[in-house]
Amino acid sequence: MNQTGHAAENRYSVDIDAPSSVDDLLEKHMDIMRWLNSPRMNTAEWHRLLQAAPRNIEDLLATEGYFSPTIEQSLETSTEGNTTRNRAKFTVQTGDPVTVQEIDIRFTGDITNQASGEKPEPAQLIENWSLKQDMRFSQDRWSSAKRGLLSGLVLQRYPNAKITNSKAEIDAASNKVKLMVEIDSGAPFRFGGLEVNGLQRYPRSLVENINPIKPGETYSQARLLFFQSELQASGYFNNVEVTSHTDNTDPEAAPIVVNVTEMQSVQVGIGVGASTNTGARTTLTYQDLNLFNRGWRFTNTLKIEQKAQSLNSLIRLPTDKNGYRDSFNADLNRLDIEGQTTSTLGTGVKRSWGPRSFEQTIGAAYLLEHVAIDGSESQNNYAATISYGITLRRIDNELNPTRGYLFNALFTSAPLDVMANGKFLQSYAKTQAYYPLTRKTQFITRLEGGIVSGADNAPATYLFRAGGDQSVRGYAYQSLGVADGDAVIGGRYLVTGSIEVIQWLTESWGAAAFVDFGNAANNTRDLKPVYGYGLGARFKSPAGPIGVDIARGQETGEYRLHFNLGVTF
């Protein structure tokens, strides 16, 4: 490597001949390299830096575990006209790196009297020590190992833990180092009461009921972060910070401190867009986050699309003290797809509970439906239903998952003839799995299925069709189902799936190849899958993955554009 600088009629340059493992370190951090282009560089400063350079190199190499380097220095001076050129060269041999010979980790404080089986366990902390015996020593690794050891205490039970003594004894002759760390755990802490700051519009109970931490619970940073994420996800706050006071406080009752910045309670929005499923879209939204001054969330949404129109009203109550999340809805919808026009009026109630990793719901709903099929008589249906659903989320990242799986199952029943056209049970399940084949190659698979058992005249809303962005790409939205003249209507059976491989070309952009399959039918004999396959582009956005695909339907021979945003679970 070579760097050149100049001042007045003197020009200065430095060559460093060193192994590639330390070349960048020396180029960036040697004092003489940083001064080359300084206007203050002169002959006196040049010679001062040259004299200090060998020691400077030794200090930098020591941070990477090299304590016996060989350094050769040479200097050339030449004159061309009015310009004097000064060139220095450093040839560096690092020698053998220092490796860890012994590790001595000592604990003091209350952790030495901790009951057996309580976490964090000193033996486990020592086991997790990252700078193992015979590993190459470096200052970064040494510092990282100490931070990791301290974090093991600070994040759980002992928030005031501190390193009281540490040293690395280096034997340059044998290239070995002995490490010693002494850490004082301090007192174990438990959580106490709740302090809430920043509430003006919403009731304090809104925060209290979301709080998963009970007084007397062992201190855990992970629990504070979980509480913070739940508050942020509630939709009431622009900003949330959850901490605990552990200085000059009772270790048996460390207060939990919540600082929030509230969102405006009334919000009005308008949006335009397009879907490759239902066409151009205009959306109007009115939202009141504090209905009746009780923290009830009232959302009214008018959506007008080319193939679908809807007016939806939803009231969501804050999480109660038992962790239940209740909601009420009323919907008016019209969908004109594949020769079938379905108009519905519905209302319902739902209760959800559990964390996002294992969420459960029960609900009750009433539906009035009018169905018009091209070339057939229109039909009116109605049904009072009850439902139960579960959703499992086991993924490494909610927005852009790379590993894990998602699973959703929903069972909806019309149990009484007197309150429906006929009794029926709709069973539906969907799963999606993510697996990294390599650091840059990702495998995604999806499978969904559904069955409607019972009455042959179940409302069309509860029957199944396939095709479109989130179903079988290469086919029009809900174009796969039961043929009825020139129309396609829903069937009692559904199976769809997908296999996809994404090759990430950069941290944010990738290319995808996929094969989709599936169909809907009224009996298993007719449930013959059709296939779609294609290529696409992927982008990791802050709102989740964005996908644009070109897919060919093998059955039709047609190519279709598909657009996807986010993870639909």
Side-chain angles (χ1 to χ4, degrees):
M1 101 189 102
N2 177 276
Q3 294 286 330
T4 303
H6 63 88
E9 295 182 348
N10 289 312
R11 295 182 181 273
Y12 306 94
S13 64
V14 174
D15 291 338
I16 298 179
D17 182 7
S20 58
S21 58
V22 297
D23 188 88
D24 193 54
L25 171 74
L26 298 178
E27 181 181 5
K28 287 183 178 179
H29 299 289
M30 279 185 66
D31 291 342
I32 197 170
M33 303 299 282
R34 295 202 302 265
W35 271 84
L36 277 180
N37 293 307
S38 172
R40 296 173 56 188
M41 176 69 84
N42 54 40
T43 301
E45 188 64 22
W46 171 249
H47 286 291
R48 184 190 70 80
L49 291 168
L50 285 175
Q51 187 176 6
R55 180 62 180 176
N56 188 200
I57 293 172
E58 289 177 355
D59 291 343
L60 290 171
L61 293 178
T63 66
E64 292 298 312
Y66 299 102
F67 289 88
S68 54
T70 301
I71 303 169
E72 296 180 0
Q73 178 179 345
S74 62
L75 177 65
E76 295 180 4
T77 302
S78 60
T79 302
E80 297 179 10
N82 294 326
T83 301
T84 300
R85 299 185 182 277
N86 300 278
R87 178 176 177 270
K89 181 178 181 180
F90 299 92
T91 303
V92 180
Q93 298 295 327
T94 60
D96 294 330
V98 166
T99 57
V100 177
Q101 181 181 28
E102 293 181 13
I103 305 165
D104 182 11
I105 300 176
R106 308 170 188 175
F107 293 94
T108 61
D110 286 19
I111 196 172
T112 59
N113 300 316
Q114 180 175 281
S116 177
E118 290 187 339
K119 296 184 181 300
E121 298 181 26
Q124 188 62 50
L125 293 172
I126 293 174
E127 178 66 24
N128 293 339
W129 173 261
S130 61
L131 188 53
K132 306 288 188 183
Q133 190 172 7
D134 295 327
M135 288 181 63
R136 180 172 67 84
F137 174 86
S138 73
Q139 192 61 47
D140 282 347
R141 291 180 176 183
W142 173 227
S143 298
S144 177
K146 290 189 288 184
R147 285 196 303 269
L149 177 65
L150 186 61
S151 295
L153 292 169
V154 170
L155 298 180
Q156 186 174 4
R157 192 184 291 269
Y158 300 101
N160 291 338
K162 59 184 177 181
I163 293 176
T164 55
N165 189 20
S166 70
K167 60 182 178 180
E169 295 182 351
I170 295 170
D171 184 348
S174 63
N175 288 319
K176 299 293 184 181
V177 60
K178 297 179 180 179
L179 306 178
M180 190 280 291
V181 181
E182 187 172 292
I183 187 166
D184 181 4
S185 70
F189 273 70
R190 296 184 180 275
F191 288 121
L194 186 66
E195 296 180 10
V196 184
N197 304 310
L199 286 178
Q200 297 177 352
R201 303 181 182 90
Y202 308 129
R204 177 185 168 93
S205 60
L206 191 152
V207 176
E208 292 174 335
N209 292 338
I210 292 177
N211 180 18
I213 304 172
K214 307 302 180 186
E217 188 176 322
T218 300
Y219 177 94
S220 167
Q221 186 70 27
R223 294 289 280 165
L224 294 174
L225 291 175
F226 177 73
F227 182 17
Q228 179 173 297
S229 67
E230 291 293 293
L231 283 174
Q232 194 72 62
S234 69
Y236 291 95
F237 308 109
N238 282 318
N239 194 40
V240 178
E241 180 185 42
V242 178
T243 58
S244 179
H245 284 326
T246 58
D247 295 330
N248 302 318
T249 190
D250 181 6
E252 292 297 315
I256 301 168
V257 181
V258 177
N259 296 307
V260 298
T261 303
E262 297 175 327
M263 296 183 70
Q264 292 289 337
S265 57
V266 176
Q267 303 171 12
V268 178
I270 182 170
V272 295
S275 165
T276 46
N277 279 340
T278 51
R281 175 178 64 247
T282 299
T283 305
L284 299 174
T285 304
Y286 171 85
Q287 184 169 237
D288 186 345
L289 301 181
N290 197 22
L291 189 66
F292 307 134
N293 292 317
R294 298 175 64 90
W296 294 10
R297 298 179 63 184
F298 173 58
T299 305
N300 237 6
T301 304
L302 173 64
K303 185 183 294 185
I304 301 174
E305 300 175 278
Q306 287 177 283
K307 300 179 181 180
Q309 301 81 42
S310 63
L311 176 61
N312 304 319
S313 296
L314 174 65
I315 295 177
R316 286 175 287 182
L317 276 58
T319 303
D320 68 16
K321 61 182 180 181
N322 296 313
Y324 293 122
R325 303 179 292 276
D326 297 328
S327 62
F328 311 88
N329 71 282
D331 304 315
L332 180 62
N333 297 280
R334 182 180 182 275
L335 182 65
D336 185 0
I337 298 289
E338 297 295 322
Q340 176 179 290
T341 302
T342 307
S343 302
T344 62
L345 174 63
T347 185
V349 296
K350 185 170 72 171
R351 165 166 286 185
S352 303
W353 67 95
R356 283 184 59 79
S357 60
F358 181 30
E359 187 175 16
Q360 302 182 71
T361 63
I362 56 173
Y366 189 77
L367 176 76
L368 294 174
E369 177 187 82
H370 177 79
V371 180
I373 301 172
D374 292 350
S376 300
E377 293 185 5
S378 60
Q379 181 180 344
N380 294 316
N381 302 308
Y382 63 98
T385 61
I386 57 174
S387 63
Y388 170 75
I390 61 171
T391 300
L392 304 179
R393 297 178 177 90
R394 302 288 192 274
I395 49 179
D396 56 354
N397 186 299
E398 284 272 342
L399 293 178
N400 287 288
T402 61
R403 182 186 294 272
Y405 68 91
L406 299 160
F407 175 78
N408 171 252
L410 179 64
F411 304 92
T412 304
S413 174
L416 301 174
D417 282 315
V418 70
M419 299 187 69
N421 293 88
K423 291 187 289 187
F424 68 88
L425 170 65
Q426 184 207 59
S427 303
Y428 171 83
K430 178 182 178 181
T431 186
Q432 191 156 306
Y434 302 83
Y435 184 76
L437 297 175
T438 68
R439 193 175 69 87
K440 291 288 189 179
T441 308
Q442 184 179 13
F443 177 75
I444 303 174
T445 184
R446 168 179 54 83
L447 182 67
E448 70 172 339
I451 300 174
V452 176
S453 55
D456 289 335
N457 54 348
T461 299
Y462 294 105
L463 299 177
F464 300 109
R465 290 190 283 184
D469 299 341
Q470 302 290 340
S471 183
V472 185
R473 287 165 287 188
Y475 299 87
Y477 178 57
Q478 294 194 3
S479 63
L480 302 175
V482 178
D484 186 340
D486 294 331
V488 175
I489 64 175
R492 295 173 60 184
Y493 293 88
L494 170 75
V495 173
T496 72
S498 177
I499 295 174
E500 181 171 312
V501 176
I502 302 175
Q503 180 64 45
W504 293 103
L505 307 175
T506 68
E507 288 300 316
S508 299
W509 288 94
F514 58 87
V515 176
D516 293 353
F517 64 89
N519 215 329
N522 266 336
N523 55 69
T524 55
R525 294 188 306 274
D526 296 332
L527 193 60
K528 299 176 181 178
V530 298
Y531 295 88
Y533 43 85
L535 301 173
R538 298 291 180 269
F539 175 69
K540 292 180 181 178
S541 78
I546 297 175
V548 179
D549 299 317
I550 297 290
R552 181 181 187 273
Q554 186 176 18
E555 192 76 7
T556 62
E558 297 179 352
Y559 289 88
R560 289 188 173 272
L561 176 69
H562 296 275
F563 177 81
N564 293 282
L565 172 63
V567 179
T568 55
F569 262 86

